[in-house]
Amino acid sequence: MSEEVLRKVRRIFVYIALLMIAFVLSYIIAYPLGYSPLGYEEMEIKEDKLLLQSYDFLGMEENRIPYEPQKGEEWKVGLLKDLVNQQQTQYLFFYTAIMLAIFWGGFDLLRKKSLKRVLFQGFLYAFVPGVSLIRHLNDIKDVLQNST
Protein backbone atom coordinates (compact mmCIF):
# COMPACT_ATOMS: atom_id res chain seq x y z
CA MET A 1 0.00 0.00 0.00
CA SER A 2 1.18 3.46 -0.74
CA GLU A 3 1.56 6.15 1.88
CA GLU A 4 -1.36 8.11 0.42
CA VAL A 5 -3.76 5.16 0.78
CA LEU A 6 -2.61 4.56 4.36
CA ARG A 7 -3.19 8.22 5.20
CA LYS A 8 -6.75 8.05 3.84
CA VAL A 9 -7.47 4.84 5.74
CA ARG A 10 -6.17 6.40 8.97
CA ARG A 11 -8.32 9.47 8.41
CA ILE A 12 -11.40 7.28 7.93
CA PHE A 13 -10.64 5.42 11.17
CA VAL A 14 -10.22 8.72 13.01
CA TYR A 15 -13.58 9.92 11.71
CA ILE A 16 -15.25 6.67 12.77
CA ALA A 17 -13.64 6.97 16.21
CA LEU A 18 -14.88 10.57 16.51
CA LEU A 19 -18.37 9.47 15.52
CA MET A 20 -18.34 6.77 18.18
CA ILE A 21 -17.02 9.16 20.85
CA ALA A 22 -19.64 11.77 19.94
CA PHE A 23 -22.41 9.19 20.11
CA VAL A 24 -21.28 7.80 23.48
CA LEU A 25 -20.93 11.28 25.02
CA SER A 26 -24.31 12.30 23.62
CA TYR A 27 -25.88 9.14 25.00
CA ILE A 28 -24.50 9.91 28.45
CA ILE A 29 -25.81 13.47 28.30
CA ALA A 30 -29.25 12.54 26.96
CA TYR A 31 -30.05 9.39 28.94
CA PRO A 32 -28.20 8.94 32.28
CA LEU A 33 -27.83 12.69 32.90
CA GLY A 34 -31.21 13.47 31.33
CA TYR A 35 -30.15 16.97 30.27
CA SER A 36 -33.04 18.35 28.24
CA PRO A 37 -33.17 22.13 27.96
CA LEU A 38 -36.66 23.36 27.03
CA GLY A 39 -37.87 19.79 27.49
CA TYR A 40 -40.34 17.97 29.69
CA GLU A 41 -40.33 15.08 32.14
CA GLU A 42 -43.15 12.95 33.53
CA MET A 43 -43.53 13.48 37.25
CA GLU A 44 -46.79 11.74 38.12
CA ILE A 45 -49.16 9.58 36.13
CA LYS A 46 -52.69 8.80 37.23
CA GLU A 47 -55.53 7.22 35.29
CA ASP A 48 -56.32 10.10 32.96
CA LYS A 49 -54.13 12.83 34.43
CA LEU A 50 -50.50 13.63 33.91
CA LEU A 51 -48.12 15.96 35.75
CA LEU A 52 -45.16 17.20 33.70
CA GLN A 53 -42.05 19.07 34.77
CA SER A 54 -40.85 21.62 32.24
CA TYR A 55 -37.27 22.82 31.98
CA ASP A 56 -35.87 26.17 30.96
CA PHE A 57 -33.10 26.97 28.47
CA LEU A 58 -30.38 25.90 30.91
CA GLY A 59 -32.10 22.63 31.81
CA MET A 60 -33.18 23.84 35.26
CA GLU A 61 -36.68 23.09 36.56
CA GLU A 62 -39.10 25.77 35.46
CA ASN A 63 -42.63 24.79 36.46
CA ARG A 64 -44.99 21.86 36.83
CA ILE A 65 -47.73 21.47 34.28
CA PRO A 66 -50.82 19.45 35.17
CA TYR A 67 -52.47 17.89 32.14
CA GLU A 68 -56.04 16.65 32.19
CA PRO A 69 -57.59 16.07 28.77
CA GLN A 70 -61.09 17.12 27.91
CA LYS A 71 -63.83 14.53 27.92
CA GLY A 72 -63.51 12.21 24.94
CA GLU A 73 -59.82 13.00 24.44
CA GLU A 74 -58.31 10.69 27.03
CA TRP A 75 -56.15 9.16 24.30
CA LYS A 76 -54.06 12.35 24.36
CA VAL A 77 -52.55 11.25 27.70
CA GLY A 78 -50.96 8.28 25.93
CA LEU A 79 -49.83 10.49 23.06
CA LEU A 80 -48.27 12.97 25.45
CA LYS A 81 -46.49 10.21 27.38
CA ASP A 82 -45.08 8.83 24.12
CA LEU A 83 -43.92 12.26 22.97
CA VAL A 84 -42.18 12.94 26.29
CA ASN A 85 -40.51 9.51 26.23
CA GLN A 86 -39.29 10.00 22.64
CA GLN A 87 -37.80 13.37 23.49
CA GLN A 88 -34.55 11.80 24.77
CA THR A 89 -33.93 10.22 21.38
CA GLN A 90 -34.33 13.60 19.72
CA TYR A 91 -31.82 15.09 22.14
CA LEU A 92 -29.43 12.20 21.46
CA PHE A 93 -29.43 12.96 17.72
CA PHE A 94 -29.09 16.69 18.35
CA TYR A 95 -26.18 16.35 20.79
CA THR A 96 -24.41 13.90 18.47
CA ALA A 97 -24.69 16.35 15.57
CA ILE A 98 -23.38 19.22 17.71
CA MET A 99 -20.41 17.19 18.94
CA LEU A 100 -19.56 16.03 15.43
CA ALA A 101 -19.69 19.62 14.24
CA ILE A 102 -17.27 20.60 17.01
CA PHE A 103 -14.89 17.67 16.43
CA TRP A 104 -14.80 17.90 12.65
CA GLY A 105 -14.71 21.68 12.79
CA GLY A 106 -11.68 21.48 15.07
CA PHE A 107 -9.96 19.10 12.65
CA ASP A 108 -10.74 21.37 9.73
CA LEU A 109 -9.32 24.35 11.59
CA LEU A 110 -6.16 22.36 12.33
CA ARG A 111 -5.92 21.60 8.61
CA LYS A 112 -6.05 25.36 7.92
CA LYS A 113 -9.57 25.49 6.46
CA SER A 114 -11.33 28.84 6.59
CA LEU A 115 -13.38 29.70 9.67
CA LYS A 116 -16.31 30.69 7.45
CA ARG A 117 -16.38 27.22 5.87
CA VAL A 118 -16.08 25.48 9.26
CA LEU A 119 -18.96 27.47 10.74
CA PHE A 120 -21.14 26.84 7.68
CA GLN A 121 -20.47 23.10 7.80
CA GLY A 122 -21.17 23.04 11.54
CA PHE A 123 -24.47 24.77 10.92
CA LEU A 124 -25.36 22.19 8.26
CA TYR A 125 -24.48 19.29 10.59
CA ALA A 126 -26.81 20.58 13.31
CA PHE A 127 -29.61 21.97 11.14
CA VAL A 128 -31.73 18.86 10.50
CA PRO A 129 -31.47 17.42 14.06
CA GLY A 130 -32.14 20.90 15.46
CA VAL A 131 -35.27 21.36 13.37
CA SER A 132 -36.44 17.86 14.28
CA LEU A 133 -35.94 18.57 18.00
CA ILE A 134 -37.76 21.91 17.81
CA ARG A 135 -40.69 20.32 15.96
CA HIS A 136 -40.88 17.56 18.57
CA LEU A 137 -40.92 20.05 21.46
CA ASN A 138 -43.56 22.10 19.66
CA ASP A 139 -45.73 18.99 19.26
CA ILE A 140 -45.63 18.53 23.04
CA LYS A 141 -46.53 22.19 23.56
CA ASP A 142 -49.41 21.91 21.11
CA VAL A 143 -50.91 18.95 22.95
CA LEU A 144 -50.58 20.82 26.26
CA GLN A 145 -52.06 24.06 24.93
CA ASN A 146 -55.00 22.45 23.13
CA SER A 147 -56.19 20.81 26.35
CA THR A 148 -57.14 24.07 28.06
Side-chain angles (χ1 to χ4, degrees):
M1 283 190 170
S2 70
E3 186 64 32
E4 182 67 27
V5 173
L6 285 175
R7 191 175 312 130
K8 287 182 181 182
V9 169
R10 281 187 209 124
R11 186 177 304 148
I12 289 171
F13 282 137
V14 167
Y15 286 153
I16 290 172
L18 287 177
L19 177 63
M20 291 171 54
I21 291 169
F23 185 79
V24 168
L25 289 175
S26 299
Y27 180 85
I28 291 170
I29 293 170
Y31 285 95
L33 294 179
Y35 181 66
S36 56
L38 301 176
Y40 300 90
E41 180 183 1
E42 292 178 14
M43 297 302 289
E44 186 177 331
I45 303 170
K46 291 188 179 174
E47 297 168 6
D48 59 343
K49 297 177 185 176
L50 186 63
L51 181 64
L52 296 177
Q53 175 70 51
S54 68
Y55 294 99
D56 63 3
F57 184 73
L58 298 174
M60 307 299 278
E61 293 181 358
E62 191 171 56
N63 55 12
R64 292 178 184 241
I65 304 169
Y67 177 73
E68 186 173 352
Q70 296 175 356
K71 189 170 185 169
E73 295 183 343
E74 290 81 13
W75 58 272
K76 285 188 178 183
V77 172
L79 172 66
L80 191 57
K81 287 190 325 188
D82 288 343
L83 287 172
V84 170
N85 290 334
Q86 294 169 359
Q87 152 184 278
Q88 288 179 320
T89 305
Q90 296 291 327
Y91 276 108
L92 174 68
F93 292 139
F94 179 70
Y95 293 148
T96 302
I98 294 295
M99 287 192 191
L100 284 177
I102 291 170
F103 290 160
W104 286 342
F107 268 157
D108 285 346
L109 287 176
L110 290 175
R111 293 189 315 172
K112 308 289 188 212
K113 303 281 175 133
S114 73
L115 180 63
K116 185 177 177 181
R117 177 182 172 185
V118 169
L119 291 176
F120 182 69
Q121 283 179 336
F123 171 76
L124 290 179
Y125 290 147
F127 181 73
V128 172
V131 169
S132 177
L133 176 64
I134 290 170
R135 287 187 54 151
H136 189 81
L137 294 175
N138 283 338
D139 288 344
I140 295 172
K141 283 183 187 176
D142 288 344
V143 171
L144 290 172
Q145 290 175 352
N146 289 334
S147 70
T148 56

